[in-house]
Amino acid sequence: MDMSCSIKLSFKKQMLRTREDAIVRTVHRLLCEKGFDAMTVDEVAAGVGIAKASLYKHFPSKEDLAAAAMVGVMRQAQAFVKAVPAELAPLDKLRRVTRWTLELQLAGDMPTLPSHNSSLRAVLMASKDYMDGLLEVSDVLGGWIEQAQSAGQINPQLPAIAVLYTLFARACDPVLEFLKLGGQHTDAQIADMVLGTCFDGLNARS
Amino acid sequence: MDMSCSIKLSFKKQMLRTREDAIVRTVHRLLCEKGFDAMTVDEVAAGVGIAKASLYKHFPSKEDLAAAAMVGVMRQAQAFVKAVPAELAPLDKLRRVTRWTLELQLAGDMPTLPSHNSSLRAVLMASKDYMDGLLEVSDVLGGWIEQAQSAGQINPQLPAIAVLYTLFARACDPVLEFLKLGGQHTDAQIADMVLGTCFDGLNARS
DNA sequence: GTCTATAATCAGATAGAC
DNA sequence: GTCTATCTGATTATAGAC
């Protein structure tokens, strides 16, 4: 008897979800194109094709808009990490994930956030979805790092956390952008150089 | 006969110079503490102890304030590079300069600018003092890089410009900040780790 | 050149009708 | 939930007296 009602509700929910997906996609695109600071809420509204006030019915602040987009990025990362072939050596797993972040940036598909914005950090850290993803990715990578160190593939004298941060930092490495602007190398060459520098260093191998 | 006049002028100029030095010092401090975006012109005026309108008699814009501070940083860099002992191996010269930038950051003495701000970039690139310093530092480092590559100390397969960018990027490496926040290591240890990772890579040496 | 006071602008967020 | 219209606060920059 109330089937029509439940169908209506589900339909409404689906519409809501679709609308919010459209918002998040626009936010993601703008974060990739110009970064958090340069992105305005007006632009987001215009990009989605709705009024700014409507945006605020879905997300309470600009920071929450960005956080929603970052949850999507983190989900992508979780999916990629899970799909890394288990039979690879730990070092090769780390290289694959790192290369993936480099390629995302080179393709213009990596959002850039200001690392010193405290209100943004607060919202990100208050997001359970984001933090769960970040922690899971960190755990998996951390395990690979320790395995690689035990196997003598990664310098065992480095604290694992330092290795983890160094890999995370590749996801916003300004070297990529500068080399790309130079126009002297293909994206693949740039990725190879930065990946090589990260793992092998600048020194010539002895 | 007009000696008193020329003395007065010189005195005035000296006062002007002193005042502008005070402004630049305050700007430098605020750029180190909070970065360009978070720094407001009101804060600069309050820090110097003068009215905001007076600031604008000395510098035409916020960007020019930052540029003046960056000229000072660039002069420091030029002086440091010049003082590197000529008898060192090229690789060791590069390591010294890189370590110096790491220590500046760890000491909280490195200004942070938003790399995507176009108006700021325009003002910086229009500053002859800044660009001259940047070019000279780049030239000297570039020479050392090529020497180190010829001597087989730095990977000769890497384009020199990629090496240069990689070293410049250490001057704003977020890994330093994260490791410092962790509180598990001293500044010296952090500098050692990042310097080692930069030149030797994450891999265990074969 | 320095000040007080104010302009001008921009962007995040909200009120209230529908 | 969506809209138009507006508020609010922050911030860069300037006018004009002294």
Side-chain angles (χ1 to χ4, degrees), chain A residues 37 91 116 121 152-155 159 165-167 169 175 177-179 185 193 198-205, chain B residues 37 91 116 152-155 159 165-167 169 175 177-179 185 193 197-205:
Chain A
D37 286 328
L91 179 62
H116 295 297
R121 287 178 82 95
Q153 294 181 313
I154 282 195
N155 183 355
Y165 287 164
T166 301
L167 295 182
V175 173
E177 178 193 348
F178 282 121
L179 286 175
H185 306 91
M193 288 191 289
C198 176
F199 284 93
D200 298 330
L202 297 172
N203 290 347
R205 312 253 68 182
Chain B
D37 286 328
L91 178 63
H116 295 296
Q153 294 180 313
I154 281 195
N155 184 354
Y165 288 163
T166 301
L167 295 181
V175 172
E177 179 193 350
F178 282 122
L179 286 175
H185 306 91
M193 287 191 289
T197 303
C198 175
F199 284 94
D200 298 330
L202 297 172
N203 289 348
R205 310 253 70 180

Side-chain angles (χ1 to χ4, degrees), chain A residues 111-125:
Chain A
T112 62
L113 304 183
S115 55
H116 295 297
N117 185 324
S118 57
S119 63
L120 178 57
R121 287 178 82 95
V123 171
L124 276 177
M125 294 187 59

Side-chain angles (χ1 to χ4, degrees), chain B residues 2-183:
Chain B
D2 56 355
M3 265 186 64
S4 70
C5 176
S6 73
I7 285 174
K8 252 189 194 168
L9 279 178
S10 151
F11 179 75
K12 268 192 178 175
K13 273 189 184 172
Q14 201 173 337
M15 289 284 85
L16 186 80
R17 178 65 174 275
T18 302
R19 167 60 51 89
E20 295 192 345
D21 281 352
I23 295 173
V24 171
R25 271 196 305 276
T26 300
V27 171
H28 178 90
R29 177 174 54 80
L30 289 171
L31 285 181
C32 294
E33 286 175 10
K34 37 206 311 183
F36 180 81
D37 286 328
M39 176 185 84
T40 70
V41 180
D42 288 272
E43 284 174 325
V44 177
V48 181
I50 62 177
K52 181 164 52 171
S54 304
L55 271 188
Y56 280 95
K57 298 287 184 179
H58 293 276
F59 299 93
S61 74
K62 181 186 178 184
E63 284 78 11
D64 286 275
L65 283 172
M70 294 310 292
V71 167
V73 174
M74 200 53 75
R75 279 199 222 285
Q76 276 189 282
Q78 286 178 274
F80 186 91
V81 163
K82 273 204 178 113
V84 170
E87 65 270 22
L88 287 181
L91 178 63
D92 291 322
K93 292 179 181 173
L94 294 171
R95 292 177 67 98
R96 278 218 189 177
V97 175
T98 305
R99 174 178 285 277
W100 175 68
T101 67
L102 299 179
E103 287 168 349
L104 267 189
Q105 287 172 87
L106 290 165
D109 252 342
M110 181 70 87
T112 62
L113 304 183
S115 55
H116 295 296
N117 185 323
S118 58
S119 63
L120 178 56
R121 287 178 83 95
V123 171
L124 275 177
M125 294 187 59
S127 161
K128 176 162 168 47
D129 285 342
Y130 178 78
M131 290 306 289
D132 284 352
L134 179 61
L135 288 183
E136 188 192 321
V137 170
S138 298
D139 277 349
V140 176
L141 294 188
W144 292 346
I145 289 169
E146 289 175 358
Q147 291 173 23
Q149 288 181 310
S150 297
Q153 294 180 313
I154 281 195
N155 184 354
Q157 297 196 347
L158 287 171
I161 191 76
V163 178
L164 183 66
Y165 288 163
T166 301
L167 295 181
F168 277 159
R170 281 333 101 214
C172 59
D173 194 334
V175 172
L176 292 166
E177 179 193 350
F178 282 122
L179 286 175
K180 206 172 162 72
L181 282 178

Side-chain angles (χ1 to χ4, degrees), chain A residues 27 57 77 79 121 137 143 201:
Chain A
V27 171
K57 299 286 184 180
R121 287 178 82 95
V137 170

